[in-house]
Amino acid sequence: SWQEALNTDDYLLKVRNETSGIETATPTENTSLRLTLDRGQIYGWKVVSRSEASAEESESETRYFFLEAQQQYSHLPFPAKLVAPEQDAVVQLNSGSVNFSWEGADLDNDIESYDFYIGVQEENLNLEKQDISTSQVSIELDSNSTYFWQIKTTDKSNNSSYSEIFSFETQ
């Protein structure tokens, strides 16, 4: 929008996309005009005042603005919810192995993979399996031991989160 000019019958709104160099000129009798423009671009605009009584036109100074692009969000995945074995569970080995499962979730729905960490000390977990595409894994373990485990969830934007750490005992 702009202020009304004296002795003016109509206006010519000129808008130029400064990136592409494309200019549009739209006539109007009003002192405002609504246009649809591409986001993420720099624009310059000016108003030409015209009168039927004279061939001479008056042009405003050019003003510039940036039309912000749609904001792109990339949410962190939620920490995986550890399902099995449960916290403080006593687990019977199945042919020397324990089956682990968890649930992953992400607002962007773009989980790429999981990394599985396990160890006999909570402060010293080892990366046992990397880039797992499912939410379960089976690991061979020793009987009569206490283990700690954790899952790292990574999404397609390389955002990641770590689950809490669960402990369990094997028999």
Side-chain angles (χ1 to χ4, degrees), residues 93-108:
L93 294 178
N94 182 8
S95 301
S97 295
V98 173
N99 294 321
F100 294 86
S101 65
W102 58 91
E103 295 173 359
D106 184 37
L107 290 175
D108 303 321

Side-chain angles (χ1 to χ4, degrees), residues 45-86:
W45 70 284
K46 59 186 167 186
V47 177
V48 179
S49 300
R50 304 187 296 191
S51 172
E52 293 174 4
S54 170
E56 195 170 320
E57 297 178 340
S58 177
E59 193 172 275
S60 73
E61 68 181 70
T62 302
R63 297 202 165 110
Y64 297 92
F65 65 94
F66 176 74
L67 187 56
E68 189 174 33
Q70 289 280 30
Q71 208 165 15
Q72 299 294 315
Y73 293 101
S74 181
H75 297 282
L76 292 173
F78 292 107
K81 177 184 174 191
L82 305 182
V83 176
E86 294 178 356

Side-chain angles (χ1 to χ4, degrees), residues 1 17 21 23-25 34 36 41 50 66 73 79 81 83 87 96 107 124 128 131 134 139-140 150-151 169:
S1 68
N17 181 317
E23 184 174 279
T24 60
R34 183 181 297 265
T36 301
Q41 302 293 314
R50 304 187 296 191
F66 176 74
Y73 293 101
K81 177 184 174 191
V83 176
Q87 174 70 3
L107 290 175
N124 192 20
E128 181 72 21
D131 297 327
T134 64
I139 303 290
E140 286 190 28
Q150 182 178 44
I151 297 294
E169 293 180 29

